[in-house]
Amino acid sequence: MKIICIGRNYTDHIAELDNERPEHPIIFMKPDTAILLKKQPFFIPDFSNDVHHEVEILIKISRVGKHIDRKFAHKYYNEIGLGIDFTARDLQQELKSKGLPWEKAKSFDGAAVIGDFIPKGTFKDLDKIGFSLKKNEEIVQKGNTSLMLWNIDALIEYVSKYFTLKIGDVIFTGTPSGVAKVNPNDRLSGFIEEKEIFSIKVK
Ligand code: ZN
C-alpha cells in the first residue's frame, strides 16, 4: 500500500506557516514503514529538535482506479479515518529553503499515525466532518472538512491523475492550524466528532 499526503489544504494552516496558497493540491508520499499504529508509542527521531503534530482526516481506498472523475470518486472509498502526519519542521524548512524534496522530514519511521476507520455511511455529510487533536487533555487542533480547499472527492480526482489508487491505499487530506512541537511524555489523542480514534504516547 501507499500513503499519499496532501499539503496546504486549509487556509488557516497555510497562513500559520506563511506559505503560499497553492494553485493545485500539493502531494507527497510516505512509505509503509512510516506507519505507526494507534497503540504504539511515537519516538522522536534524533535528527530533529522540532517534530510537529499535524492531525488529518484519512481516506481508505477500497477500489482500484485511475483518472477518477470527481462525480464517481465516492465509489472508491468506504471508510474515513484520522491520523497524524508527523513532520520534522526544522528539517523540512531546511529542505524547502534549498528546494529539495521533503521525504526525510515527513516519511521517517513512525511519521504516519493511522487510527481507526469509520464507515462513511455513519456521516450525514462528508463535507462537514469535525475533528480535533488533544495534547495532554488540551485541544490543540480543531478542524472541519468544510474548510478544505479541495474536498475528499476533488482530492481523489486530482491524485488519481498521477497515481493509480489501489485497495488499502490511504490519503492524508491535510492539516488545519494549530500544528506545534511534541515533547517526550506528551499524549496525543485524536477525535472525529466526539469519538476517540487514536491515543498515542510520545517518547
Ligand atoms: Zn500534513
Side-chain angles (χ1 to χ4, degrees), residues 82 118 123 129-132 134 139 142 189-198:
L82 193 73
I118 298 176
F123 301 99
I129 302 174
F131 60 100
S132 59
K134 271 187 191 169
I139 294 178
K142 218 168 151 40
S189 309
F191 296 81
I192 293 182
E193 309 293 357
E194 304 305 316
K195 190 177 167 28
E196 186 176 285
I197 303 295
F198 63 79

PDB file of all heavy atoms in Angstrom, residues 82 118 123 129-132 134 139 142 189-198:
ATOM      1  N   LEU A  82      -8.657   8.935  10.903  1.00  0.00           N
ATOM      2  CA  LEU A  82      -7.936  10.108  11.400  1.00  0.00           C
ATOM      3  C   LEU A  82      -6.511   9.675  11.726  1.00  0.00           C
ATOM      4  O   LEU A  82      -6.288   8.553  12.194  1.00  0.00           O
ATOM      5  CB  LEU A  82      -8.627  10.642  12.663  1.00  0.00           C
ATOM      6  CG  LEU A  82      -8.194  12.028  13.129  1.00  0.00           C
ATOM      7  CD1 LEU A  82      -8.762  13.107  12.199  1.00  0.00           C
ATOM      8  CD2 LEU A  82      -8.662  12.300  14.554  1.00  0.00           C
ATOM      9  N   ILE A 118     -13.863   4.598  10.217  1.00  0.00           N
ATOM     10  CA  ILE A 118     -15.308   4.598  10.472  1.00  0.00           C
ATOM     11  C   ILE A 118     -15.999   4.486   9.112  1.00  0.00           C
ATOM     12  O   ILE A 118     -15.592   5.170   8.168  1.00  0.00           O
ATOM     13  CB  ILE A 118     -15.727   5.931  11.141  1.00  0.00           C
ATOM     14  CG1 ILE A 118     -15.031   6.095  12.491  1.00  0.00           C
ATOM     15  CG2 ILE A 118     -17.235   6.029  11.293  1.00  0.00           C
ATOM     16  CD1 ILE A 118     -15.308   7.425  13.167  1.00  0.00           C
ATOM     17  N   PHE A 123     -21.632   9.107   8.463  1.00  0.00           N
ATOM     18  CA  PHE A 123     -21.666  10.579   8.415  1.00  0.00           C
ATOM     19  C   PHE A 123     -22.805  11.068   7.531  1.00  0.00           C
ATOM     20  O   PHE A 123     -23.018  10.549   6.434  1.00  0.00           O
ATOM     21  CB  PHE A 123     -20.343  11.124   7.863  1.00  0.00           C
ATOM     22  CG  PHE A 123     -19.156  10.707   8.681  1.00  0.00           C
ATOM     23  CD1 PHE A 123     -18.359   9.630   8.284  1.00  0.00           C
ATOM     24  CD2 PHE A 123     -18.835  11.377   9.853  1.00  0.00           C
ATOM     25  CE1 PHE A 123     -17.271   9.229   9.036  1.00  0.00           C
ATOM     26  CE2 PHE A 123     -17.741  10.982  10.615  1.00  0.00           C
ATOM     27  CZ  PHE A 123     -16.961   9.905  10.204  1.00  0.00           C
ATOM     28  N   ILE A 129     -17.316  17.140   8.407  1.00  0.00           N
ATOM     29  CA  ILE A 129     -16.848  16.272   9.495  1.00  0.00           C
ATOM     30  C   ILE A 129     -15.929  17.081  10.410  1.00  0.00           C
ATOM     31  O   ILE A 129     -14.915  17.622   9.968  1.00  0.00           O
ATOM     32  CB  ILE A 129     -16.059  15.061   8.946  1.00  0.00           C
ATOM     33  CG1 ILE A 129     -16.924  14.235   7.983  1.00  0.00           C
ATOM     34  CG2 ILE A 129     -15.556  14.187  10.090  1.00  0.00           C
ATOM     35  CD1 ILE A 129     -16.159  13.114   7.292  1.00  0.00           C
ATOM     36  N   GLY A 130     -16.299  17.143  11.668  1.00  0.00           N
ATOM     37  CA  GLY A 130     -15.468  17.843  12.651  1.00  0.00           C
ATOM     38  C   GLY A 130     -14.444  16.886  13.237  1.00  0.00           C
ATOM     39  O   GLY A 130     -14.721  15.706  13.426  1.00  0.00           O
ATOM     40  N   PHE A 131     -13.251  17.386  13.504  1.00  0.00           N
ATOM     41  CA  PHE A 131     -12.212  16.544  14.111  1.00  0.00           C
ATOM     42  C   PHE A 131     -11.298  17.410  14.955  1.00  0.00           C
ATOM     43  O   PHE A 131     -11.263  18.639  14.801  1.00  0.00           O
ATOM     44  CB  PHE A 131     -11.429  15.776  13.035  1.00  0.00           C
ATOM     45  CG  PHE A 131     -10.714  16.633  12.022  1.00  0.00           C
ATOM     46  CD1 PHE A 131      -9.346  16.887  12.137  1.00  0.00           C
ATOM     47  CD2 PHE A 131     -11.402  17.187  10.949  1.00  0.00           C
ATOM     48  CE1 PHE A 131      -8.682  17.675  11.203  1.00  0.00           C
ATOM     49  CE2 PHE A 131     -10.744  17.985  10.011  1.00  0.00           C
ATOM     50  CZ  PHE A 131      -9.382  18.220  10.141  1.00  0.00           C
ATOM     51  N   SER A 132     -10.568  16.756  15.865  1.00  0.00           N
ATOM     52  CA  SER A 132      -9.698  17.532  16.750  1.00  0.00           C
ATOM     53  C   SER A 132      -8.567  16.669  17.295  1.00  0.00           C
ATOM     54  O   SER A 132      -8.617  15.435  17.224  1.00  0.00           O
ATOM     55  CB  SER A 132     -10.509  18.117  17.912  1.00  0.00           C
ATOM     56  OG  SER A 132     -11.111  17.079  18.644  1.00  0.00           O
ATOM     57  N   LYS A 134      -6.162  16.363  20.810  1.00  0.00           N
ATOM     58  CA  LYS A 134      -5.870  16.803  22.175  1.00  0.00           C
ATOM     59  C   LYS A 134      -4.433  16.456  22.506  1.00  0.00           C
ATOM     60  O   LYS A 134      -3.978  15.345  22.209  1.00  0.00           O
ATOM     61  CB  LYS A 134      -6.763  16.047  23.167  1.00  0.00           C
ATOM     62  CG  LYS A 134      -8.082  16.704  23.448  1.00  0.00           C
ATOM     63  CD  LYS A 134      -8.768  15.944  24.579  1.00  0.00           C
ATOM     64  CE  LYS A 134     -10.216  16.394  24.710  1.00  0.00           C
ATOM     65  NZ  LYS A 134     -10.945  15.485  25.610  1.00  0.00           N
ATOM     66  N   ILE A 139      -7.236  20.744  23.901  1.00  0.00           N
ATOM     67  CA  ILE A 139      -7.438  20.713  22.443  1.00  0.00           C
ATOM     68  C   ILE A 139      -6.453  21.668  21.786  1.00  0.00           C
ATOM     69  O   ILE A 139      -6.424  22.858  22.087  1.00  0.00           O
ATOM     70  CB  ILE A 139      -8.887  21.092  22.074  1.00  0.00           C
ATOM     71  CG1 ILE A 139      -9.845  20.017  22.597  1.00  0.00           C
ATOM     72  CG2 ILE A 139      -9.045  21.233  20.558  1.00  0.00           C
ATOM     73  CD1 ILE A 139     -11.303  20.285  22.338  1.00  0.00           C
ATOM     74  N   LYS A 142      -8.188  21.864  15.811  1.00  0.00           N
ATOM     75  CA  LYS A 142      -9.615  21.649  15.593  1.00  0.00           C
ATOM     76  C   LYS A 142      -9.876  21.941  14.128  1.00  0.00           C
ATOM     77  O   LYS A 142      -9.448  22.976  13.610  1.00  0.00           O
ATOM     78  CB  LYS A 142     -10.379  22.669  16.448  1.00  0.00           C
ATOM     79  CG  LYS A 142     -11.633  22.150  17.086  1.00  0.00           C
ATOM     80  CD  LYS A 142     -12.090  23.173  18.128  1.00  0.00           C
ATOM     81  CE  LYS A 142     -13.570  23.185  18.355  1.00  0.00           C
ATOM     82  NZ  LYS A 142     -14.297  21.961  18.404  1.00  0.00           N
ATOM     83  N   SER A 189      -4.223  12.548  21.456  1.00  0.00           N
ATOM     84  CA  SER A 189      -5.457  11.795  21.207  1.00  0.00           C
ATOM     85  C   SER A 189      -6.263  12.490  20.126  1.00  0.00           C
ATOM     86  O   SER A 189      -6.493  13.698  20.190  1.00  0.00           O
ATOM     87  CB  SER A 189      -6.306  11.703  22.476  1.00  0.00           C
ATOM     88  OG  SER A 189      -5.517  11.230  23.552  1.00  0.00           O
ATOM     89  N   GLY A 190      -6.675  11.695  19.144  1.00  0.00           N
ATOM     90  CA  GLY A 190      -7.407  12.254  18.012  1.00  0.00           C
ATOM     91  C   GLY A 190      -8.873  11.876  18.060  1.00  0.00           C
ATOM     92  O   GLY A 190      -9.222  10.751  18.435  1.00  0.00           O
ATOM     93  N   PHE A 191      -9.725  12.820  17.681  1.00  0.00           N
ATOM     94  CA  PHE A 191     -11.179  12.608  17.731  1.00  0.00           C
ATOM     95  C   PHE A 191     -11.832  12.999  16.412  1.00  0.00           C
ATOM     96  O   PHE A 191     -11.494  14.037  15.826  1.00  0.00           O
ATOM     97  CB  PHE A 191     -11.813  13.476  18.835  1.00  0.00           C
ATOM     98  CG  PHE A 191     -11.354  13.105  20.215  1.00  0.00           C
ATOM     99  CD1 PHE A 191     -10.131  13.574  20.706  1.00  0.00           C
ATOM    100  CD2 PHE A 191     -12.121  12.271  21.013  1.00  0.00           C
ATOM    101  CE1 PHE A 191      -9.685  13.221  21.980  1.00  0.00           C
ATOM    102  CE2 PHE A 191     -11.683  11.917  22.284  1.00  0.00           C
ATOM    103  CZ  PHE A 191     -10.460  12.385  22.765  1.00  0.00           C
ATOM    104  N   ILE A 192     -12.763  12.149  15.959  1.00  0.00           N
ATOM    105  CA  ILE A 192     -13.689  12.557  14.901  1.00  0.00           C
ATOM    106  C   ILE A 192     -15.006  12.808  15.612  1.00  0.00           C
ATOM    107  O   ILE A 192     -15.528  11.908  16.278  1.00  0.00           O
ATOM    108  CB  ILE A 192     -13.851  11.479  13.813  1.00  0.00           C
ATOM    109  CG1 ILE A 192     -12.539  11.316  13.033  1.00  0.00           C
ATOM    110  CG2 ILE A 192     -14.999  11.850  12.861  1.00  0.00           C
ATOM    111  CD1 ILE A 192     -12.600  10.300  11.900  1.00  0.00           C
ATOM    112  N   GLU A 193     -15.507  14.028  15.487  1.00  0.00           N
ATOM    113  CA  GLU A 193     -16.631  14.469  16.320  1.00  0.00           C
ATOM    114  C   GLU A 193     -16.261  14.138  17.769  1.00  0.00           C
ATOM    115  O   GLU A 193     -15.229  14.568  18.224  1.00  0.00           O
ATOM    116  CB  GLU A 193     -17.956  13.821  15.868  1.00  0.00           C
ATOM    117  CG  GLU A 193     -18.255  13.965  14.363  1.00  0.00           C
ATOM    118  CD  GLU A 193     -18.528  15.399  13.876  1.00  0.00           C
ATOM    119  OE1 GLU A 193     -18.552  16.323  14.704  1.00  0.00           O
ATOM    120  OE2 GLU A 193     -18.701  15.590  12.655  1.00  0.00           O
ATOM    121  N   GLU A 194     -17.062  13.309  18.479  1.00  0.00           N
ATOM    122  CA  GLU A 194     -16.752  13.035  19.888  1.00  0.00           C
ATOM    123  C   GLU A 194     -16.009  11.715  20.073  1.00  0.00           C
ATOM    124  O   GLU A 194     -15.656  11.353  21.189  1.00  0.00           O
ATOM    125  CB  GLU A 194     -18.051  12.985  20.721  1.00  0.00           C
ATOM    126  CG  GLU A 194     -18.922  14.233  20.628  1.00  0.00           C
ATOM    127  CD  GLU A 194     -18.146  15.496  21.000  1.00  0.00           C
ATOM    128  OE1 GLU A 194     -17.406  15.458  22.008  1.00  0.00           O
ATOM    129  OE2 GLU A 194     -18.278  16.494  20.274  1.00  0.00           O
ATOM    130  N   LYS A 195     -15.793  10.987  18.990  1.00  0.00           N
ATOM    131  CA  LYS A 195     -15.270   9.621  19.116  1.00  0.00           C
ATOM    132  C   LYS A 195     -13.740   9.600  19.073  1.00  0.00           C
ATOM    133  O   LYS A 195     -13.137  10.143  18.139  1.00  0.00           O
ATOM    134  CB  LYS A 195     -15.844   8.787  17.963  1.00  0.00           C
ATOM    135  CG  LYS A 195     -15.586   7.300  18.078  1.00  0.00           C
ATOM    136  CD  LYS A 195     -16.279   6.577  16.915  1.00  0.00           C
ATOM    137  CE  LYS A 195     -15.862   5.147  16.706  1.00  0.00           C
ATOM    138  NZ  LYS A 195     -15.394   4.354  17.785  1.00  0.00           N
ATOM    139  N   GLU A 196     -13.125   8.947  20.071  1.00  0.00           N
ATOM    140  CA  GLU A 196     -11.661   8.841  20.075  1.00  0.00           C
ATOM    141  C   GLU A 196     -11.224   7.834  19.027  1.00  0.00           C
ATOM    142  O   GLU A 196     -11.681   6.687  19.011  1.00  0.00           O
ATOM    143  CB  GLU A 196     -11.153   8.416  21.453  1.00  0.00           C
ATOM    144  CG  GLU A 196      -9.631   8.450  21.512  1.00  0.00           C
ATOM    145  CD  GLU A 196      -9.075   8.135  22.889  1.00  0.00           C
ATOM    146  OE1 GLU A 196      -9.148   8.984  23.791  1.00  0.00           O
ATOM    147  OE2 GLU A 196      -8.578   7.000  23.064  1.00  0.00           O
ATOM    148  N   ILE A 197     -10.288   8.236  18.181  1.00  0.00           N
ATOM    149  CA  ILE A 197      -9.852   7.411  17.050  1.00  0.00           C
ATOM    150  C   ILE A 197      -8.453   6.852  17.284  1.00  0.00           C
ATOM    151  O   ILE A 197      -8.094   5.795  16.791  1.00  0.00           O
ATOM    152  CB  ILE A 197      -9.866   8.260  15.743  1.00  0.00           C
ATOM    153  CG1 ILE A 197     -11.260   8.854  15.504  1.00  0.00           C
ATOM    154  CG2 ILE A 197      -9.402   7.442  14.548  1.00  0.00           C
ATOM    155  CD1 ILE A 197     -12.343   7.828  15.227  1.00  0.00           C
ATOM    156  N   PHE A 198      -7.637   7.597  18.000  1.00  0.00           N
ATOM    157  CA  PHE A 198      -6.317   7.083  18.402  1.00  0.00           C
ATOM    158  C   PHE A 198      -5.860   7.837  19.649  1.00  0.00           C
ATOM    159  O   PHE A 198      -6.374   8.909  19.962  1.00  0.00           O
ATOM    160  CB  PHE A 198      -5.267   7.236  17.275  1.00  0.00           C
ATOM    161  CG  PHE A 198      -4.986   8.663  16.884  1.00  0.00           C
ATOM    162  CD1 PHE A 198      -4.159   9.479  17.646  1.00  0.00           C
ATOM    163  CD2 PHE A 198      -5.573   9.192  15.735  1.00  0.00           C
ATOM    164  CE1 PHE A 198      -3.913  10.793  17.283  1.00  0.00           C
ATOM    165  CE2 PHE A 198      -5.328  10.521  15.369  1.00  0.00           C
ATOM    166  CZ  PHE A 198      -4.497  11.314  16.155  1.00  0.00           C
TER     167      PHE A 198
END
